[in-house]
Amino acid sequence: MSAQAKIFVALFSGINVGGNRIVKMAELRSFFEELGFGDVATYVQSGNVVFRSAKGDAATLTKQLEAAFERKWGFHSRIMVRDLGWFERLVAENPYPEIAGDPTKLHAYVLEREPTADEVARLAEKCTGPERFEIRGDVLYLHAPEGLGKSVFANLIPRTLKVPGTARNWRTVLALLVLAGRGGGA
């Protein structure tokens, strides 16, 4: 890879959930390498890939990956591609630093776009339990004190906000930042 290759993180949604749409991480790594990306590394089974690319920005890479993925696996997975600088900002702008030490209670939703004020207001009306959320740009930070699995509000987020996205717990966010900071492959 050339010196100007940038580091990106690709977050897949809807793969390897509940035994459906199974994609092995070794196959996903090979898929990225076959497309010409370098320093490819994956993290856990939910579809997190760190890679280098000398060509394209996040939006272009998203379109390229979604089309190639659907051709290879035969189903669509929404993919959020972000560069290293974006990921560093996501971590630096965490509005709940006091929760970061308990990563199962803090989640970041990577959104396709920044929600409108009306969309955020609709979501705020539904936040009546112990959860707290804050949106910064195209990231929704969620503090779910009882965990995501027990959060009624977390289940309402996609339907209410209506902005496509994919959630990761804080442990995954930090692990991806470490992987990306090392330049992808360890």
Side-chain angles (χ1 to χ4, degrees), residues 55-147:
K55 292 190 293 251
D57 59 9
T60 305
L61 291 168
T62 298
K63 287 186 183 78
Q64 177 189 355
L65 287 166
E66 283 185 348
F69 181 90
E70 194 162 353
R71 277 194 306 273
K72 180 168 177 69
W73 274 279
F75 64 88
H76 177 76
S77 175
R78 187 176 299 281
I79 306 169
M80 304 286 173
V81 177
R82 299 295 188 267
D83 65 30
L84 177 58
W86 183 95
F87 236 81
E88 289 170 337
R89 277 192 310 282
L90 179 152
V91 173
E93 293 178 1
N94 170 21
Y96 306 115
E98 72 284 4
I99 310 300
D102 194 352
T104 62
K105 309 231 182 321
L106 180 60
H107 292 75
Y109 288 71
V110 179
L111 303 173
E112 200 169 77
R113 63 170 171 80
E114 184 171 349
T116 65
D118 286 349
E119 289 167 332
V120 175
R122 255 199 331 269
L123 187 61
E125 288 172 9
K126 303 277 188 189
C127 193
T128 57
E131 301 86 357
R132 298 180 292 161
F133 78 94
E134 193 165 318
I135 295 175
R136 296 196 174 171
D138 59 354
V139 179
L140 183 153
Y141 298 87
L142 174 66
H143 171 220
E146 295 168 1

